[in-house]
Amino acid sequence: MKWFLNLKIFHKIIILIIITMLFELLTVAATYSHSIESKEKMGDIYNNHLLSVLRLNYASALTRGIEANIYEFVLIKDKSRKAKLVIDTELKAKKVLNLISEYEKSELVAFEKKRVKRLHELKEEIRTVYRNILKMKKANKTAEALRYFRENQSKLDDFALLLRELADFNEKFALEVKNEHAKDTDFFNKFVFINVLMGLAVSFGAGLIVSKAISAPIYNVVQELKKDSCGLPDLKEIGNNSKHEIHDLKLALNDIIKNIRRMLEREVFLRNIITMSITSNDIKGVLNTIVTETGKFYNADICFFNKYDTIEQNFTDYIEDYMEYLKPGLIGKISCIKHDRKKFDIFREIIIENRQTFFADNVNTAELPEITKTFLRECNIKSFAIAPVFYEETPLGALFVNYTKSNKNFSEEEINLLESSANQSAIVIYQAKLNTDIEAMRRNFTITLTHDLRSPIFAEQKVLEMLMNSLPDETVKNCREYFEDMYKTNEELLEIINNLLSVYHYESGKAELKVKEESIEKLVNCSARVLKPLVKDRQCEIKIEIEENLPLVYINKREVCRLVTNLVSNAIKHTQKGTKITISAKKQDNDILVSINDNGRGIPEAEQRHIFEKYPAQKRKIGAGLGLYLSKQIVEAHKGKIWFVSEAGKGTTFYFTIPISLPV
């Protein structure tokens, strides 16, 4: 038997089939013709007669229904009810005629033909009775109609009785056919049973050997598949006729296919977000791509992105149109409508503060504040899922997937995928926002730099024109005022260029600060002296309050002096004349805290969030746009912090700290 065991599984199965077929061939040959004939007989005669029984019984029941309708029609006076009875009676009569017509299509014997003929005769008589009753009722002859109905009621009884006789005849005939077929079938079943026992006895031994040869390798494959559902073992030598191991193998393979399909769909979804977002040139296109692809992938009714305002520490109360996806054919946008931020407070706590994905299969049963549930119901949202969108530790917003037509039962896999897509989206959104900011910064830089350079050059040009048009006998001494103006404008240009170079060095990481121990008090006094001409010109008053015995700090004297000068000059330039400015310095924990306070107009609230940006759009004055940005770079280079407090109409205070005696 060694040669048999070494055969491939396919060959083993063929041999087993041949052996079994030799014993079964006689049975098949003997029973085949009879089986075909019996099936045809059963199908053509038995089933047809049973169908006729159903049709005739149904027609008989409808006839009794027609009889009841006519009787009720004769007795009642309600016109609407009579109209309904007339319609119902005509429909039932039509069904009866259709059933008889279908019955007549079958092969009828003499007994049936005779009674069908009588049925048609009674049909016409009943139709005449029905029409006469309608006329009598129309003439309000109820008593006469009732008497006429009872006189002719026997026609309906005869009609129903004929139908019943035909049904009994067909039922009896079908039963006879069935009994005859059962006798033949019983004989051949016994014959087949004997042959099957013989075939089983011979094939049993061979079956044991073959089944063992088949099941052993397949069982091993199934175990491997269960261990690693992502694997794809070589299945070329495994047959497909087993009802056990092969079936398990198919199930395992189906699981693999499903997993691969889900992974492919997931990867295609994430790739589409990244690919399509990269092709967009602005943040609007990126956000629109993200919500559209996410909405389509999850088959959501509504999908939108809500930005998170890091200044206000809350979601924005307005969702732009490009941030929302609406399934085609739906109405009821959430975008372009101002919403109460309180409705999103719960999401801020869960999504942003706890950095968790939140979902609800049913809004009504979700653990949410009533104000939030009411808002969701107003938007017809029945189920939703929200994933936070973070770039590193910075919250950018949240991705909302909503269903309005029916509830959605979210699976763990779907929630995990939503989190992954939100993480991928965060990178794309941040990059797009960065590109947008860079482009805006470039435009602002060009506009501001052009403005800053143009003004002093224009002033210098006017001075030169004045000198060129002066009288020949005027001395240089008389032109001193013009030369001073030229010097001043060139000095402003030089300051702008120096600031640009400093910003470049700080941003590129090339700024190397040489530090040594210095006194903050001396630096503050030095800056105050430098700014005396500007203070005098603006009629300001500077007050210096330095805490006694302040410790020395490790700083770059030139850069920190520029820092203080920038902050004080801003306080002088951007306030009205006569402003009082106080420069203070004191020890606070392990830092020296310096503050520059003025009682000027204050900084408008809309500009405060942009105050340390490089060339923000709100700044349009000479030299503006780099001073405070550079000041922030200097403070951070010294491992300190800088901030401000401002109130409209009361003034502004800038603060910065420098660590005490710690080398930078």
Side-chain angles (χ1 to χ4, degrees):
M1 294 295 293
K2 187 176 181 180
W3 64 271
F4 180 79
L5 294 175
N6 291 333
L7 290 175
K8 293 185 178 295
I9 293 177
F10 174 77
H11 296 153
K12 294 174 184 176
I13 295 173
I14 292 297
I15 292 175
L16 180 60
I17 292 172
I18 292 173
I19 294 173
T20 305
M21 286 181 65
L22 290 175
F23 287 93
E24 302 298 329
L25 186 59
L26 180 60
T27 303
V28 173
T31 59
Y32 178 77
S33 60
H34 178 77
S35 176
I36 296 298
E37 183 181 353
S38 297
K39 287 181 180 179
E40 290 178 355
K41 187 176 182 179
M42 191 69 176
D44 295 339
I45 300 176
Y46 179 75
N47 290 337
N48 287 341
H49 281 280
L50 284 183
L51 184 59
S52 295
V53 171
L54 294 175
R55 288 171 178 163
L56 293 167
N57 283 334
Y58 185 35
S60 178
L62 289 174
T63 301
R64 292 302 182 187
I66 292 171
E67 182 179 354
N69 284 355
I70 295 174
Y71 182 75
E72 185 180 356
F73 177 82
V74 171
L75 295 178
I76 65 172
K77 296 181 179 180
D78 187 354
K79 292 183 178 180
S80 61
R81 176 59 182 164
K82 287 196 293 185
K84 291 180 180 178
L85 286 173
V86 170
I87 294 173
D88 185 61
T89 301
E90 292 177 354
L91 288 175
K92 288 179 177 177
K94 187 176 180 180
K95 289 181 180 178
V96 170
L97 295 178
N98 289 337
L99 290 168
I100 294 174
S101 177
E102 289 295 324
Y103 173 65
E104 287 179 300
K105 292 179 181 178
S106 59
E107 295 182 5
L108 305 179
V109 298
F111 175 85
E112 293 172 293
K113 291 179 179 179
K114 182 178 180 181
R115 278 153 181 75
V116 168
K117 181 179 179 181
R118 178 56 183 156
L119 283 174
H120 285 294
E121 293 172 355
L122 287 172
K123 175 190 71 176
E124 295 301 326
E125 293 175 7
I126 293 170
R127 183 176 294 172
T128 301
V129 171
Y130 176 70
R131 290 173 180 172
N132 290 335
I133 290 174
L134 289 178
K135 291 178 181 179
M136 292 176 186
K137 284 295 291 182
K138 190 173 183 182
N140 294 323
K141 298 178 181 179
T142 303
E144 185 178 346
L146 179 59
R147 184 174 59 256
Y148 181 74
F149 169 74
R150 287 174 175 170
E151 291 174 355
N152 293 279
Q153 189 173 7
S154 59
K155 293 181 175 62
L156 287 166
D157 294 336
D158 293 340
F159 191 91
L161 183 60
L162 283 173
L163 290 172
R164 183 58 193 168
E165 287 179 2
L166 288 171
D168 292 342
F169 173 80
N170 279 273
E171 185 176 358
K172 182 179 179 181
F173 191 88
L175 186 60
E176 291 175 356
V177 172
K178 180 180 179 182
N179 291 335
E180 182 181 354
H181 176 73
K183 292 178 181 179
D184 294 339
T185 303
D186 183 65
F187 169 78
F188 283 96
N189 283 342
K190 293 177 180 178
F191 180 79
V192 171
F193 179 73
I194 295 172
N195 282 274
V196 168
L197 287 178
M198 293 175 62
L200 288 175
V202 175
S203 60
F204 181 77
L208 287 176
I209 299 172
V210 173
S211 63
K212 183 178 179 180
I214 294 174
S215 62
I218 296 176
Y219 177 81
N220 294 333
V221 172
V222 171
Q223 294 305 310
E224 290 299 320
L225 286 172
K226 289 181 179 179
K227 290 179 182 179
D228 183 11
S229 62
C230 293
L232 290 174
D234 186 7
L235 306 176
K236 293 181 180 179
E237 295 185 0
I238 296 179
N240 58 358
N241 292 320
S242 173
K243 294 182 179 180
H244 302 290
E245 289 84 357
I246 292 295
H247 179 67
D248 292 339
L249 180 61
K250 287 181 179 179
L251 292 178
L253 288 175
N254 286 335
D255 289 339
I256 292 175
I257 293 171
K258 289 178 182 177
N259 289 335
I260 293 175
R261 186 180 293 113
R262 284 195 294 266
M263 287 189 290
L264 287 175
E265 290 174 350
R266 170 177 173 168
E267 292 304 316
V268 170
F269 164 56
L270 296 177
R271 184 186 63 187
N272 286 343
I273 288 180
I274 296 175
T275 303
M276 296 181 69
S277 299
I278 290 175
T279 59
S280 299
N281 297 321
D282 61 350
I283 188 67
K284 293 182 179 180
V286 168
L287 289 174
N288 185 258
T289 297
I290 290 172
V291 296
T292 300
E293 289 297 317
T294 304
K296 289 180 179 179
F297 181 81
Y298 282 92
N299 195 27
D301 297 319
I302 301 174
C303 180
F304 65 88
F305 177 82
N306 195 357
K307 289 194 296 186
Y308 186 79
D309 190 332
T310 55
I311 303 298
E312 298 291 337
Q313 296 291 303
N314 205 341
F315 288 106
T316 58
D317 57 2
Y318 189 81
I319 299 169
E320 299 288 352
D321 183 66
Y322 60 83
M323 297 183 188
E324 181 183 23
Y325 162 80
L326 194 67
K327 181 183 285 187
L330 291 181
I331 58 174
K333 283 194 170 186
I334 295 177
S335 61
C336 303
I337 302 174
K338 193 169 184 179
H339 303 292
D340 186 356
R341 290 188 180 182
K342 292 180 180 179
K343 299 173 182 177
F344 289 91
D345 279 347
I346 185 67
F347 298 138
R348 174 178 57 81
E349 295 173 5
I350 298 174
I351 305 302
I352 302 301
E353 295 180 5
N354 298 330
R355 203 165 178 173
Q356 293 179 352
T357 298
F358 183 82
F359 67 95
D361 297 337
N362 190 328
V363 168
N364 295 323
T365 58
E367 296 181 0
L368 295 170
E370 192 58 35
I371 186 175
T372 305
K373 287 185 178 181
T374 302
F375 168 72
L376 295 172
R377 293 191 196 103
E378 290 173 354
C379 299
N380 294 322
I381 294 176
K382 292 181 172 59
S383 303
F384 68 90
I386 312 172
V389 179
F390 273 76
Y391 181 78
E392 295 181 348
E393 298 301 320
T394 303
L396 303 178
L399 194 58
F400 291 69
V401 177
N402 309 285
Y403 296 84
T404 60
K405 289 186 176 181
S406 59
N407 291 330
K408 163 74 174 178
N409 294 322
F410 292 95
S411 65
E412 182 179 356
E413 183 180 357
E414 289 174 324
I415 296 302
N416 292 337
L417 179 56
L418 185 61
E419 290 178 352
S420 298
S421 64
N423 294 334
Q424 293 281 5
S425 300
I427 301 172
V428 178
I429 292 172
Y430 184 82
Q431 185 63 41
K433 185 176 181 298
L434 191 61
N435 293 338
T436 302
D437 292 344
I438 290 173
E439 179 61 22
M441 189 182 298
R442 184 190 66 78
R443 290 195 300 269
N444 291 336
F445 175 81
T446 303
I447 294 171
T448 307
L449 184 61
T450 302
H451 182 278
D452 289 351
L453 294 177
R454 178 182 179 278
S455 297
I457 291 175
F458 181 76
E460 185 176 306
Q461 182 71 14
K462 290 299 181 183
V463 171
L464 290 175
E465 288 180 5
M466 181 72 71
L467 290 175
M468 292 174 63
N469 295 327
S470 299
L471 297 175
D473 57 348
E474 288 188 12
T475 62
V476 173
K477 184 176 181 179
N478 295 333
C479 298
R480 179 178 178 82
E481 181 180 352
Y482 302 124
F483 288 133
E484 288 178 350
D485 288 341
M486 292 173 62
Y487 178 82
K488 184 178 179 181
T489 55
N490 283 332
E491 188 176 45
E492 290 174 348
L493 286 173
L494 184 61
E495 181 183 358
I496 293 173
I497 299 302
N498 287 336
N499 284 344
L500 284 171
L501 289 174
S502 297
V503 167
Y504 167 75
H505 284 296
Y506 278 111
E507 289 183 339
S508 63
K510 296 181 179 180
E512 296 182 3
L513 296 179
K514 297 180 179 180
V515 299
K516 63 178 182 178
E517 285 188 323
E518 298 286 352
S519 168
I520 287 293
E521 182 177 4
K522 290 182 179 180
L523 287 177
V524 170
N525 290 327
C526 177
S527 296
R529 287 195 299 271
V530 171
L531 293 171
K532 275 186 177 181
L534 183 60
V535 171
K536 182 179 179 182
D537 181 60
R538 298 285 296 178
Q539 300 174 11
C540 296
E541 178 185 343
I542 293 183
K543 183 180 179 181
I544 299 176
E545 297 179 351
I546 306 296
E547 188 180 274
E548 294 183 359
N549 301 320
L550 280 180
L552 301 178
V553 290
Y554 277 93
I555 57 173
N556 182 289
K557 181 179 179 180
R558 180 174 63 83
E559 290 299 288
V560 176
C561 185
R562 177 192 284 187
L563 165 65
V564 177
T565 303
N566 278 344
L567 295 176
V568 177
S569 63
N570 274 347
I572 297 171
K573 293 177 182 178
H574 302 304
T575 58
Q576 66 276 19
K577 288 187 177 182
T579 299
K580 293 182 180 180
I581 299 170
T582 302
I583 307 174
S584 304
K586 64 179 180 179
K587 182 177 180 296
Q588 186 180 67
D589 298 330
N590 294 322
D591 299 323
I592 298 296
L593 174 65
V594 180
S595 64
I596 294 90
N597 170 263
D598 67 68
N599 61 348
R601 293 184 295 267
I603 302 172
E605 185 177 353
E607 297 181 14
Q608 290 184 14
R609 69 177 67 184
H610 306 289
I611 204 69
F612 288 116
E613 292 180 3
K614 182 169 62 175
Y615 283 105
Q618 291 85 349
K619 298 181 180 181
R620 286 279 77 88
K621 297 182 179 180
I622 297 176
L626 284 178
L628 289 175
Y629 177 78
L630 182 59
S631 298
K632 185 173 183 289
Q633 299 290 326
I634 293 172
V635 171
E636 290 178 350
H638 285 83
K639 308 302 181 185
K641 298 178 180 179
I642 184 170
W643 69 96
F644 70 93
V645 176
S646 182
E647 187 175 353
K650 293 187 178 181
T652 304
T653 303
F654 276 87
Y655 300 90
F656 70 86
T657 60
I658 300 292
I660 296 173
S661 300
L662 289 177
V664 179

